Amino acid sequence: MASHVHYAEGRGDDALATLRRFLDTLPRQPGFVSAELLWSEAQPGLYLVMSRWEGRVPSLDLAPGLRGWTFETVDSR
């Protein structure tokens, strides 16, 4: 079965709290493997949740202001 990665992006003052709440919902979803909340000093105000899924990513409810993308793993080491 193929694995997938989902990225949710938020920008601005409220993004960190919004993405923390989003992160808390993920373990209840079918196929969830793991997730991380990411921040980079080089991109102030930008936050990402990167989540890994076994099989297809279920329909995820993104709060207003968040954007999301799903990628299928085509190779790994």
Side-chain angles (χ1 to χ4, degrees), residues 48-69:
L48 299 170
V49 168
M50 191 259 319
S51 55
R52 292 179 184 83
W53 302 85
E54 194 61 44
R56 293 207 172 271
V57 176
S59 178
L60 299 174
D61 186 24
L62 295 177
L66 298 184
R67 300 185 320 162
W69 300 270

Side-chain angles (χ1 to χ4, degrees), residues 14-44:
D14 297 328
L16 182 58
T18 300
L19 284 169
R20 278 196 172 121
R21 287 190 299 272
F22 174 72
L23 182 67
D24 287 341
T25 70
L26 297 179
R28 297 187 294 268
Q29 300 293 329
F32 175 80
V33 175
S34 66
E36 301 168 2
L37 178 55
L38 307 172
W39 171 80
S40 172
E41 193 172 293
Q43 296 288 327

